[in-house]
Structure formats: structure tokens, C-alpha cells
Amino acid sequence: MNCRIEKNPGFSAAGFKNCVDTDHAYNSIPKIWQEARMNGIGDKLLGLMGENSEKVPNGILGILSGGDWGNNDTFFYYLAVPNEKETPADMEKLTFPESQWVVFEAQDPADLVNAWKCLYTDWLPTSDYILADLPAVECFYPPGHSPQNELWIPITVKGR
């Protein structure tokens, strides 16, 4: 699986917050996206994304926060987009400081599951990095973008 290390100057995102049971995440998160498409949240995110097209990662975002990397019973999953303007009243703002990331490429949303597995079974045990205390980001790019999806994992050098 292709991955790269990237330094990001920081960004903000606006999104809708969902509480997810860690043990049922692989079933719950697709349902959250399905409901978002049906209830207009997806369209609202797309409209807001168009106003912030210069930010990286630049796509529809699934942001995983507060789960202590799978060690908590629940975590928050935000349906979000990069946003540097005023956050809409029905959304929450998330702010990411300048940080370093390992970015895994995924050709389709199902491939993101493989990216998560690769992170924990292959990449982390052999790298010089540990997980940083920031949310993880799943990025879903518009049609025609290559790669189609990415998994952004915040990292820091071991021993720091």
C-alpha cells in the first residue's frame, strides 16, 4: 500500500458530529454516510467545500476523534470539510495545528479498511514514529482525483 510522510501547516474543518461505538465502527460509519446522503448533509458539505478548495486534505472528510486510537469504547466521527471561514451554526469546528502525517492512498472507500490494517500491522511496528494525539482523517476526493481516497494519520517521531 502506497504511503508518504507529509508535513501540514495546519487547517480547520467544519462538520457534523456523530458518536460511534468502537466495536461496531466498521458497520456504523457506512450507515452514517448513507444517512448523510439521504438527509441533505452531504450536499451541505459539498457546498461548503467549494468555498475552501485550496486546503489540504481537500475533500469530504471523515474525522475520527476522542477514541484514543481504539482504546475507548466510543469515539466521535465527524462528516466534515476543510473550512477556514465562519463555521455554520449547525456544525462544529475542528482545528488542526501544524503537524506531521503518514498518508495512505486508497483507491476506494473499502480500501480504507486495508489502510487502517496496514497502519497497525505493517507501518507502525517498523517505523520510527508513534501516533500523535490528534484526530485521524479519512479523505474522500472528488471524481477524477488520484488517489480517490486517503487516510491521514497524525504522527510524531519516537522518543519526542
Side-chain angles (χ1 to χ4, degrees), residues 27-50:
N27 292 323
S28 299
I29 290 174
K31 290 177 184 173
I32 291 170
W33 285 107
Q34 185 178 31
E35 289 173 15
R37 283 189 291 276
M38 293 184 338
N39 66 18
I41 287 175
D43 291 336
K44 185 165 187 168
L45 291 171
L46 287 171
L48 191 58
M49 186 177 87

Side-chain angles (χ1 to χ4, degrees), residues 2-92:
N2 292 335
C3 69
R4 67 184 184 277
I5 304 291
E6 188 166 316
K7 190 166 194 165
N8 188 296
F11 65 98
S12 293
F16 297 93
K17 183 178 183 179
N18 299 273
C19 187
V20 175
D21 183 304
T22 301
D23 290 339
H24 300 104
Y26 286 115
N27 292 323
S28 299
I29 290 174
K31 290 177 184 173
I32 291 170
W33 285 107
Q34 185 178 31
E35 289 173 15
R37 283 189 291 276
M38 293 184 338
N39 66 18
I41 287 175
D43 291 336
K44 185 165 187 168
L45 291 171
L46 287 171
L48 191 58
M49 186 177 87
E51 300 172 14
N52 294 277
S53 59
E54 72 284 350
K55 290 297 163 190
V56 174
N58 181 21
I60 300 288
L61 309 176
I63 301 175
L64 296 87
S65 176
D68 192 26
W69 298 105
N71 293 317
N72 290 344
D73 291 338
T74 61
F75 64 92
F76 296 113
Y77 189 83
Y78 294 84
L79 304 179
V81 292
N83 183 50
E84 299 299 324
K85 299 179 180 179
E86 185 173 334
T87 302
D90 59 344
M91 299 171 85
E92 294 193 28

Side-chain angles (χ1 to χ4, degrees), residues 111-148:
D111 208 20
L112 284 173
V113 173
N114 295 330
W116 280 105
K117 288 177 184 174
C118 182
L119 168 71
Y120 283 109
T121 61
D122 300 332
W123 194 84
L124 272 175
T126 61
S127 77
D128 294 327
Y129 298 91
I130 59 172
L131 300 171
D133 190 22
L134 289 172
V137 178
E138 298 173 337
C139 185
F140 304 92
Y141 291 107
H145 189 279
S146 182
Q148 191 62 53

